Amino acid sequence: MKRIAIFQSDLRVGGIQKALINILNEIDYRRCQVDLYLYDEGSFFDMPAHEHLRVIHLRPHFAAWDRLVYFNLLFALSRDVTGGREYDAAVDFNSYQNECAVGVLKSRARKKIMWIHNDMEIKLKNEPKYRILWHFFKGKLSRYDAFAAVSPGIVEGFRRVSGLGDVSITPIPNHIDTAEIFRKKDLPVDFAPDPALLNLCSVGRICHQKGYDLLMGELAKVKAARQDFHFYLIGDGPDRGALESQIRALGLETYVTLLGNQPNPFCYLDKLDGFVLTSRYEGQGMAIWEAKALGLPLYISKNLEPYNPGIPGWADVAEALIRAEKPREKRYDDLASYNAAISRSLRELLDLE
């Protein structure tokens, strides 16, 4: 039995958290014992139960201001929080929080891995706050033995900004739990979109990266050409107030509904006619693949293609939506080949073959 340690800050609402849950559901526990270290006891998702999966809750030992301390100093002042347990591999699945990095790098693990969830190169260009944090924590990067990237499209950018030209980086897209999707899509929900309209949707955090402000501009163009559509957004975030103001300013109040976070988005998606995403950048975009599994036509912006190989993007999303029609039938996709390739890469990275 291989022994694997995984460090994550929390299991609250978020794509990283959902990606981890999917991996925990996918791991072959006949081959390994997994210790999941968490710094928060709350959970938005259903935690898988298995005799070889142990959840260990830790107390956060860094204050918020510690993010403005150079990582190498934090590392020198920290201890092994695992109690000296030996692992074949330790994974920093969060990649942002210092607690997770110290947990992995101080552990007695033969292989120390970081998951990369985003296009770090573009994130650094777009987010001044992240540039400051990166300045202080980038010293941790050279301490890892290997990295996993959630799409091939973020690998070279990470090499450039990290300066780690020769380090091992394995593209491992997010596993999509289609069994869960198909099970939950038929659960009852008090939601009935107008069948006479083209009902569109998206799922994601309302923040700068996801570009919902850009999408509202596209929907304003659509409204000028056709009025038989409605857009539903499942998710919440720090920019919700600004987005609501923009919706009012563009006269989209009767065309856009913000549904907030939903523990089961699949029963909503299954009733809709198309999925739209115009993020400024991504790591991958799990919601795109979940929508694909449910057979929804996908309207993603062209810049998201490198993060989602095999899914074509649109150079003009507004024009695509103006011409869009309700699908005559939706064919579900179990993503079998996609998930099988991910499972192989995951086993290789964790030396489970």
Side-chain angles (χ1 to χ4, degrees), residues 287-304:
I288 297 172
W289 293 87
E290 291 170 340
K292 177 177 170 58
L294 286 169
L296 290 176
L298 304 174
Y299 303 95
I300 66 172
S301 48
K302 194 74 174 176
N303 65 304
L304 299 183

Side-chain angles (χ1 to χ4, degrees), residues 87-104:
Y87 293 101
D88 295 284
V91 177
D92 175 358
F93 199 79
N94 181 276
S95 79
Y96 295 107
Q97 299 295 330
N98 285 328
E99 281 96 345
C100 296
V102 167
V104 168

Side-chain angles (χ1 to χ4, degrees), residues 7-9 39 58-79 81 91-107 114 130 132-141 143-144:
F7 286 79
Q8 164 59 17
S9 59
Y39 291 92
L58 301 170
R59 294 179 61 185
H61 54 278
F62 291 142
W65 57 264
D66 283 333
R67 290 179 294 176
L68 302 180
V69 176
Y70 286 107
F71 179 81
N72 289 335
L73 177 59
L74 294 176
F75 180 82
L77 297 174
S78 299
R79 60 181 177 81
V81 297
V91 177
D92 175 358
F93 199 79
N94 181 276
S95 79
Y96 295 107
Q97 299 295 330
N98 285 328
E99 281 96 345
C100 296
V102 167
V104 168
L105 297 173
K106 281 286 185 178
S107 71
M114 175 191 277
Y130 188 71
I132 295 171
L133 297 177
W134 175 274
H135 172 76
F136 287 101
F137 74 55
K138 64 182 179 182
K140 69 186 179 184
L141 300 175
R143 296 177 180 269
Y144 291 90

Side-chain angles (χ1 to χ4, degrees), residues 97-210:
Q97 299 295 330
N98 285 328
E99 281 96 345
C100 296
V102 167
V104 168
L105 297 173
K106 281 286 185 178
S107 71
R108 298 175 64 184
R110 283 189 280 273
K111 187 175 186 179
K112 299 175 181 181
I113 304 165
M114 175 191 277
W115 234 260
I116 311 168
H117 296 280
N118 225 319
D119 189 325
M120 296 301 195
E121 188 171 44
I122 298 182
K123 187 175 179 71
L124 284 165
K125 292 177 181 177
N126 271 261
E127 300 182 24
K129 178 182 176 181
Y130 188 71
R131 288 199 294 273
I132 295 171
L133 297 177
W134 175 274
H135 172 76
F136 287 101
F137 74 55
K138 64 182 179 182
K140 69 186 179 184
L141 300 175
S142 61
R143 296 177 180 269
Y144 291 90
D145 301 308
F147 295 82
V150 297
S151 71
I154 68 176
V155 171
E156 292 309 313
F158 178 76
R159 289 193 188 279
R160 286 190 289 268
V161 298
S162 68
L164 301 175
D166 298 328
V167 72
S168 172
I169 304 178
T170 303
I172 303 181
N174 292 308
H175 187 275
I176 304 301
D177 190 343
T178 53
E180 177 196 24
I181 292 172
F182 297 152
R183 182 177 71 252
K184 291 185 174 181
K185 70 179 179 63
D186 294 323
L187 294 179
V189 61
D190 184 16
F191 176 67
D194 186 342
L197 300 179
L198 176 69
N199 292 296
L200 305 166
C201 64
S202 191
V203 181
R205 190 164 184 258
I206 305 177
C207 61
H208 175 79
Q209 173 182 335
K210 294 296 181 179

